[in-house]
Amino acid sequence: MLLNCGQPLPLLRHTDVPPRVIENFILTGYRFPNYSLRDCLLSAFRPTNETGNFWTHFLPVFIFSYYFVEVFGWEGAPHGDEPFFYPLWNYFIGVFCLLMASSMAHLLNSMSLVVREVCFFVDYGTISSYTVGSSLAYYYYIHPRAGIVETGGQNDSHIDLKHEPARSPTSPYAIPEFSVFFETLYIPSACVVAIICVLSCCNTRQRWRRYRYVIRTLVFLLPFLVSSTPVFYRLLTRSPYSTASSSFTASTSMPIFFYRHCLWLLVSAVFNISKFPERLAPGRFDIWGHSHQWFHCCTFLSILDELHMIKVEVRAILLSPNLLLPPATLSRLPGPTVASTYGVMLLLQTTIISIIVWFSWHANSIYGPQRDQLEKEHLKKHLKCH
């Protein structure tokens, strides 16, 4: 990381950088917002106050991928490009984009004030996309009715996995009130909430600055509640599998993974809002150990437990000898299709990108003049070196 004059770019104190760059209780280790792309990439190997933020979401990409591909090696699993796995691939795309966007945002945000804003707009957008990817996986693997049809019987109707002879035929749900929400509103609600989250979080970079961390944390509580509805449903009812089946045994650990998922999310929220431990000793945790690094670690652990929870349910479905996946005929809740998985994500991404472009244009109108001034100052320093 060298200037053309051969001197390393210095790290600065909070008093030497624009107010927009300053993080609460972080006093040193700042990169000035005029780095080149090369400078930014090389800074990943230099101790700055963003180095840990980069690595705590970049390395998890490989850890997550390792556990993800395990599913395709299971006995009886369909080929990886079969429709049954469409929701799982959408979940993978959501997580992969979240981790990569987050790590790149922290690595590249010192190129300019405008680039800094755009980086974090993209970061918020990928978080919202991830929540919808999770919703698709929950809908098709944890929601006990979606995409499940009888292998025999009349009209290929949905199979009653509870095998209760006295069960009322009027509703396939243990809690009938959930039927309309699951069948028609669940995925659209997840998408609408994701868009609301992007709009709210992007707004915190241009207004509501004082309470931005609280707002961003609370805003993402809403998609968690909506997306997790199938899990709440399963926790409130009995298992959809026969107690004597291997599927029932496989799915018994699902609640444990979900509770751990919730715990890590709660701990990450505490770190993000409290700014602990740097609040207790400003300047001591500037490079390593500050709250955002712990926030990253906890959010990834929550994602990892979520992956294990989804894998448990995928295994339970695959172990059921009475199911045909994907459905061979159109059912009331058809199995995953390109339109219902990739199509949903594509439409959502298009909307989110439009939002990001609008906020980026507005950020450029605010910070563009400051960027030009910083470039002139950088040019003067460069000329002095020669």
Side-chain angles (χ1 to χ4, degrees):
M1 182 168 37
L2 302 176
L3 288 171
N4 290 339
C5 55
Q7 297 299 319
L9 291 170
L11 297 179
L12 306 174
R13 292 184 57 81
H14 68 291
T15 54
D16 301 321
V17 296
R20 186 68 175 181
V21 177
I22 299 173
E23 298 292 341
N24 294 338
F25 312 109
I26 303 297
L27 306 184
T28 62
Y30 287 96
R31 302 170 298 171
F32 203 72
N34 61 355
Y35 274 39
S36 67
L37 176 60
R38 177 177 177 274
D39 292 331
C40 288
L41 294 176
L42 290 176
S43 70
F45 305 98
R46 184 186 186 193
T48 74
N49 58 28
E50 290 283 25
T51 304
N53 294 336
F54 166 74
W55 288 108
T56 49
H57 263 180
F58 184 72
L59 292 178
V61 171
F62 303 97
I63 301 173
F64 178 83
S65 299
Y66 172 80
Y67 285 104
F68 176 82
V69 297
E70 181 185 28
V71 175
F72 305 108
W74 288 347
E75 182 179 356
H79 194 271
D81 60 359
E82 291 293 324
F84 174 70
F85 282 128
Y86 287 173
L88 195 63
W89 279 115
N90 277 266
Y91 173 68
F92 175 83
I93 292 170
V95 174
F96 178 83
C97 290
L98 181 156
L99 296 174
M100 287 300 295
S102 174
S103 57
M104 290 299 111
H106 288 289
L107 187 63
L108 304 179
N109 66 59
S110 63
M111 293 180 69
S112 74
L113 291 177
V114 175
V115 170
R116 180 182 178 85
E117 298 300 297
V118 174
C119 281
F120 289 110
F121 292 154
V122 173
D123 188 18
Y124 305 145
T126 56
I127 295 173
S128 295
S129 297
Y130 151 74
T131 64
V132 175
S134 296
S135 298
L136 289 170
Y138 289 1
Y139 181 75
Y140 285 106
Y141 302 131
I142 298 179
H143 174 206
R145 307 301 301 183
I148 298 177
V149 298
E150 290 181 359
T151 55
Q154 297 180 349
N155 300 324
D156 286 329
S157 59
H158 283 290
I159 189 170
D160 181 5
L161 294 174
K162 288 184 181 295
H163 306 293
E164 295 177 6
R167 189 179 178 84
S168 172
T170 59
S171 174
Y173 292 86
I175 305 177
E177 293 77 12
F178 277 79
S179 61
V180 174
F181 176 76
F182 278 143
E183 294 174 18
T184 61
L185 299 177
Y186 174 63
I187 297 299
S189 297
C191 293
V192 170
V193 168
I195 292 170
I196 292 174
C197 288
V198 176
L199 289 168
S200 301
C201 289
C202 288
N203 259 310
T204 62
R205 301 200 68 82
Q206 299 177 356
R207 62 186 72 177
W208 313 325
R209 292 283 297 169
R210 184 176 180 181
Y211 304 104
R212 61 189 183 277
Y213 296 112
V214 175
I215 293 173
R216 292 170 195 168
T217 302
L218 294 180
V219 156
F220 283 109
L221 176 64
L222 182 58
F224 165 77
L225 294 175
V226 173
S227 298
S228 300
T229 307
V231 185
F232 296 143
Y233 172 87
R234 286 284 298 276
L235 295 176
L236 291 172
T237 60
R238 286 173 290 175
S239 172
Y241 303 106
S242 169
T243 55
S245 68
S246 55
S247 295
F248 178 84
T249 303
S251 67
T252 52
S253 59
M254 186 271 286
I256 298 174
F257 286 122
F258 180 69
Y259 295 144
R260 283 170 39 176
H261 169 67
C262 295
L263 174 63
W264 289 122
L265 285 178
L266 177 61
V267 175
S268 68
V270 170
F271 276 120
N272 199 37
I273 294 175
S274 68
K275 298 303 167 186
F276 177 89
E278 65 267 23
R279 177 185 290 271
L280 302 180
R284 187 171 182 177
F285 300 96
D286 291 350
I287 307 300
W288 303 109
H290 59 75
S291 61
H292 204 79
Q293 295 169 8
W294 292 113
F295 167 72
H296 276 194
C297 292
C298 292
T299 53
F300 174 65
L301 289 172
S302 76
I303 290 173
L304 202 57
D305 276 324
E306 180 184 49
L307 173 63
H308 291 319
M309 174 181 69
I310 293 171
K311 286 169 63 177
V312 160
E313 290 303 305
V314 170
R315 181 183 287 276
I317 293 174
L318 294 175
L319 286 173
S320 178
N322 300 318
L323 304 182
L324 177 65
L325 296 167
T329 59
L330 183 66
S331 59
R332 186 180 183 188
L333 285 175
T337 64
V338 172
S340 68
T341 53
Y342 294 105
V344 169
M345 287 293 279
L346 180 61
L347 182 60
L348 176 71
Q349 293 284 18
T350 303
T351 304
I352 289 176
I353 290 172
S354 301
I355 294 171
I356 291 172
V357 169
W358 189 89
F359 276 98
S360 299
W361 175 83
H362 191 248
N364 185 63
S365 66
I366 298 173
Y367 300 107
Q370 296 182 40
R371 173 195 59 200
D372 296 338
Q373 181 62 32
L374 289 172
E375 288 178 353
K376 291 179 181 179
E377 293 177 1
H378 181 70
L379 179 60
K380 289 180 181 179
K381 294 178 181 178
H382 172 73
L383 292 175
K384 287 179 180 180
C385 291
H386 289 77

